[in-house]
Amino acid sequence: MADDETAFSHRGTLVEFVAAARWSDPAEDAERIAAARRYAASLEPFAAGAYVNALTDEGETGVRRAYPEEKLARLTALKDRYDPGNVFHLNHNIPPTSRGRAY
């Protein structure tokens, strides 16, 4: 399937790597989250893109990694057409142009 046929990107990627961190003591939150982010940053030089369903709290940065610029422009145009009020925003949001941020 061609990359431009669906919203799913990075079809030619050889490997997908997902890491998860878990703990039970809320007092460890800051330390554990910082460690997970340091680990992710150490892998960044070897990364190319991201699978949108594996994103967590990366916000716009993660959305931009998940979708190449051309695809993001097409998805924004679809959002403009079918959801200009951004009703469906509880996801890794692609806001419509009318919301002031277009990718």
Side-chain angles (χ1 to χ4, degrees):
M1 179 169 292
D3 186 66
D4 64 352
E5 292 184 41
T6 69
F8 184 83
S9 298
H10 312 294
R11 291 183 177 275
T13 301
L14 180 61
V15 175
E16 177 187 4
F17 179 81
V18 177
R22 184 174 170 167
W23 58 95
S24 56
D25 184 354
E28 297 177 0
D29 285 0
E31 175 187 354
R32 302 279 185 159
I33 290 169
R37 289 186 174 150
R38 281 193 309 275
Y39 180 66
S42 73
L43 295 174
E44 184 64 30
F46 309 102
Y51 176 49
V52 72
N53 290 338
L55 296 177
T56 56
D57 64 351
E58 291 91 344
E60 182 180 336
T61 301
V63 171
R64 288 184 173 279
R65 285 182 60 222
Y67 301 110
E69 187 175 331
E70 305 80 31
K71 188 169 290 187
L72 196 50
R74 287 192 355 254
L75 292 170
T76 300
L78 288 169
K79 188 75 171 216
D80 288 345
R81 181 173 180 180
Y82 293 104
D83 186 19
N86 206 24
V87 173
F88 299 103
H89 64 277
L90 299 177
N91 54 20
H92 301 297
N93 194 32
I94 297 171
T97 306
S98 63
R99 292 292 181 178
R101 248 189 347 195
Y103 293 113

